[in-house]
Amino acid sequence: MHAQPGDWLIVEGGGDHGPTRRGLIEEVQSPDGSPPYLVHWSDTGHRALTFPGPDAYVLSSAQLREQELRAAARFTALPHELSHPGSLTEPDTRTQGTR
């Protein structure tokens, strides 16, 4: 894992381990970008020297923004799909022309 200040550390909650956490990497301790990182956690506001585990990954600000835009697009489409079932899927042709 490698990062630079301004990147984001994402820690997946997975299963019963709680929600996904995001933190802004403010300082990188090693010259090659490897941990530990000084992280400002968005959910608590705390800053902590962090050694990320296997459930963590680093995204640049641009990558995080793109990920959030994709998620927002999925959630925006969901109410339409709920109010218009089948509108995002192929039509069911089994009943066409049976009247």
Side-chain angles (χ1 to χ4, degrees), residues 21-94:
R21 296 185 75 198
R22 286 184 251 175
L24 180 64
I25 298 172
E26 294 183 337
E27 292 180 16
V28 177
Q29 303 296 312
S30 67
D32 69 350
S34 61
Y37 307 128
L38 179 63
V39 177
H40 186 173
W41 294 104
S42 62
D43 59 344
T44 63
H46 290 113
R47 287 179 174 83
L49 191 61
T50 305
F51 292 84
D55 55 348
Y57 56 95
V58 173
L59 293 176
S60 69
S61 290
Q63 290 170 319
L64 180 60
R65 190 171 23 261
E66 179 61 31
Q67 186 181 65
E68 290 177 341
L69 288 172
R70 283 194 310 268
R74 283 194 305 270
F75 283 111
T76 301
L78 185 59
H80 178 76
E81 173 62 16
L82 293 174
S83 64
H84 300 89
S87 63
L88 297 179
T89 59
E90 291 295 317
D92 185 358
T93 57
R94 293 177 293 182

